[in-house]
Amino acid sequence: MIQKDVVIIGGGAAGFFAAINISEQKPNLKVTLLERGKEGLAKVKVSGGGRCNVTHAEFIPQDLIKNYPRGEKELLGPFHQFMTGDTIEWFANRGVELKIEEDGRMFPVSNSSQTIIDCFLNEADKYGVEVLYNHAVKNIESTKDAFKIETSQGEFLAEKILVATGSNPKIWNLLERLGHSIAQPVPSLFTFNIKDERINDIPGVVAKNVEVKVLGTNLWSEGPLLITHWGLSAPSILKLSAFGALELAERNYKFEIEINFIKMTFEDCLDTLKALKQDLAKKTVFKSTQFDIPKRLWHKLVLASNMTMETRWADLNKLQLESLASQLTQAVFQVDGKSTFKEEFVTAGGVNLKEINFKTFESRIVKHLYFAGEVLNIDAVTGGFNFQNAWTGAYIAAKSILNSE
């Protein structure tokens, strides 16, 4: 059995970040990182389409926490300790410059996740972190003075352990045996499967700013909307899927949504259409795209409003005007199932947050057991927020481990 000072379980973003921060401060500590795969940092590699969405340009903790459907309240204190600006500085000090995109997402200037991976591997090597791949953890036992960790390739003893395994049911089972309770995992961040004549055959069309409601609930969101081969995606839908993760799972992913494509009231839209009926009398409705709506989507909504391609504005009756106003401001779609959002799968669920001290990220149940990242019941909307949670938790846990010497 090999004796270590600190064992970190999980070679992802949070695991590496914690290991580096511990070893940099106290290089004499024996820090070992156990990763079950043949290489680590898999999520870092695929995040942001291979560019790695490191964090988000949101610099006020009270605003940042609003992006966490689970963990909002708990992260306020931690974000005052280690925040977006600290993340930017941490990477800058190690030669990795980040840039802000229009939507607030932040990426390495290189536009490659390999930059982040190389940074972590170099820093871990520089400070003597022992990284062991193909070490799947089979059991964790807490004794009076240490933890006994049984892996697929031998056993370790450690005074302190940090669990940063993300959404891993096997590890959650081991943590339950240690006395923790687990919020049952359900998917978060997914796209909606919809079969509907109004969006068939126009994948790739983006409505820039829409409002979406889940009928029969208080769930709503706004933002860009993307029509896909399977249904609907983009931030407006992904936000709904994150904040509605539990409720939508209960409905077995079968529900109705209402979309306001132009963010106007039905009445205001109808008044505008009546004015257009006068102004564009001789033109066909089909060819006169309005409200800054993508042309192909406008065509679909016009045809869904009891009109043909030849219908002229002058010939519109009251029913057709109301029908078009309704399609534009309160179009109802039937959702039947979900699809994972690219490789950036996120799970709602994990270690119960009441069992964690968020000043230290230490377990309230087992002394010297720490957590960081998505192993906890914390998850965020898309845009770099899940990584910011990982950096913050890992940094504070690392600091706490060093201070509890």
Side-chain angles (χ1 to χ4, degrees), residues 293-312:
I293 275 192
K295 192 190 288 182
R296 290 193 292 161
L297 177 59
W298 173 264
H299 290 167
K300 289 280 192 178
L301 297 179
V302 166
L303 295 178
S305 307
N306 308 311
M307 299 179 210
T308 69
M309 289 162 74
E310 280 72 46
T311 307
R312 295 184 316 150

Side-chain angles (χ1 to χ4, degrees), residues 8-292:
I8 293 170
I9 302 170
F16 265 93
F17 202 73
I20 293 161
N21 279 295
I22 293 167
S23 296
E24 186 181 20
Q25 296 300 313
K26 283 212 177 163
N28 59 322
L29 280 185
K30 289 180 190 160
V31 178
T32 296
L33 190 150
L34 304 174
E35 165 55 38
R36 64 178 173 168
K38 61 178 189 293
E39 53 182 33
L41 301 165
K43 255 193 176 178
V44 170
K45 196 177 182 110
V46 299
S47 156
R51 297 194 298 142
C52 190
N53 186 181
V54 176
T55 186
H56 201 96
E58 179 55 80
F59 299 95
I60 300 164
Q62 284 83 349
D63 292 337
L64 182 61
I65 58 171
K66 288 175 186 161
N67 297 286
Y68 297 84
R70 280 143 296 272
E72 178 178 347
K73 186 170 86 256
E74 290 80 5
L75 286 173
L76 184 58
F79 283 153
H80 277 94
Q81 275 196 65
F82 191 90
M83 178 72 177
T84 315
D86 303 299
T87 301
I88 296 165
E89 188 182 355
W90 192 94
F91 282 103
N93 288 343
R94 288 153 186 83
V96 178
E97 201 184 330
L98 303 179
K99 59 173 180 175
I100 304 173
E101 304 217 326
E102 258 182 60
D103 58 5
R105 290 182 304 161
M106 297 194 70
F107 295 90
V109 168
S110 67
N111 269 334
S112 170
S113 57
Q114 198 57 46
T115 304
I116 304 297
I117 293 169
D118 290 345
C119 168
F120 283 163
L121 294 177
N122 291 339
E123 293 290 303
D125 187 48
K126 181 174 163 186
Y127 295 111
V129 176
E130 181 183 39
V131 182
L132 301 176
Y133 298 106
N134 299 306
H135 276 63
V137 172
K138 304 289 188 193
N139 196 30
I140 304 168
E141 224 177 281
S142 171
T143 64
K144 186 167 169 278
D145 304 314
F147 292 94
K148 186 172 150 190
I149 303 128
E150 186 190 322
T151 79
S152 52
Q153 297 202 48
E155 294 184 348
F156 298 83
L157 267 182
E159 287 177 29
K160 303 180 179 75
I161 61 172
L162 187 151
V163 181
T165 46
S167 307
N168 183 331
K170 285 180 180 163
I171 298 296
W172 282 332
N173 289 341
L174 299 182
L175 293 171
E176 278 186 310
R177 282 189 222 158
L178 290 174
H180 274 284
S181 56
I182 306 295
Q184 279 315 299
V186 296
S188 177
L189 284 193
F190 48 84
T191 61
F192 294 174
N193 292 355
I194 298 171
K195 284 193 171 65
D196 192 294
E197 200 48 52
R198 290 167 293 175
I199 58 171
N200 280 0
D201 317 320
I202 55 167
V205 166
V206 176
K208 284 187 190 139
N209 196 7
V210 308
E211 209 168 76
V212 191
K213 289 184 208 161
V214 177
L215 294 178
T217 75
N218 294 323
L219 296 167
W220 75 278
S221 76
E222 56 189 354
L225 178 84
L226 169 68
I227 295 168
T228 70
H229 289 286
W230 300 276
L232 297 174
S233 184
S236 62
I237 297 297
L238 295 168
K239 266 188 253 176
L240 269 189
S241 74
F243 281 92
L246 304 180
E247 197 158 351
L248 301 182
E250 276 171 24
R251 290 167 183 251
N252 203 20
Y253 308 106
K254 294 183 193 318
F255 51 91
E256 284 185 327
I257 56 170
E258 182 184 284
I259 303 176
N260 187 332
F261 288 105
I262 57 175
K263 290 178 84 174
M264 279 173 89
T265 65
F266 171 83
E267 290 76 16
D268 287 348
C269 177
L270 190 57
D271 289 343
T272 307
L273 292 176
K274 284 174 182 170
L276 289 168
K277 177 177 155 85
Q278 305 298 322
D279 299 344
L280 304 174
K282 291 182 179 172
K283 296 190 172 171
T284 65
V285 182
F286 188 84
K287 285 189 178 165
S288 332
T289 309
Q290 299 297 321
F291 304 105
D292 203 22

Side-chain angles (χ1 to χ4, degrees), residues 318-393:
K318 182 170 180 280
L319 200 65
Q320 287 169 315
L321 282 166
E322 286 176 351
S323 181
L324 184 53
S326 179
Q327 291 292 348
L328 289 164
T329 62
Q330 44 196 226
V332 175
F333 291 85
Q334 182 67 47
V335 177
D336 186 9
K338 61 173 176 52
S339 298
T340 306
F341 174 59
K342 299 184 186 160
E343 301 93 339
E344 296 179 40
F345 48 90
V346 171
T347 302
V351 177
N352 188 324
L353 302 185
K354 289 188 171 65
E355 299 166 3
I356 308 299
N357 176 353
F358 279 93
K359 289 192 171 109
T360 58
F361 280 75
E362 185 178 13
S363 163
R364 292 185 187 278
I365 290 165
V366 183
K367 197 166 169 51
H368 296 320
L369 167 61
Y370 297 82
F371 298 98
E374 286 176 50
V375 67
L376 297 170
N377 185 23
I378 293 177
D379 62 287
V381 298
T382 183
F385 301 105
N386 281 302
F387 275 141
Q388 186 56 53
N389 166 47
W391 314 138
T392 295

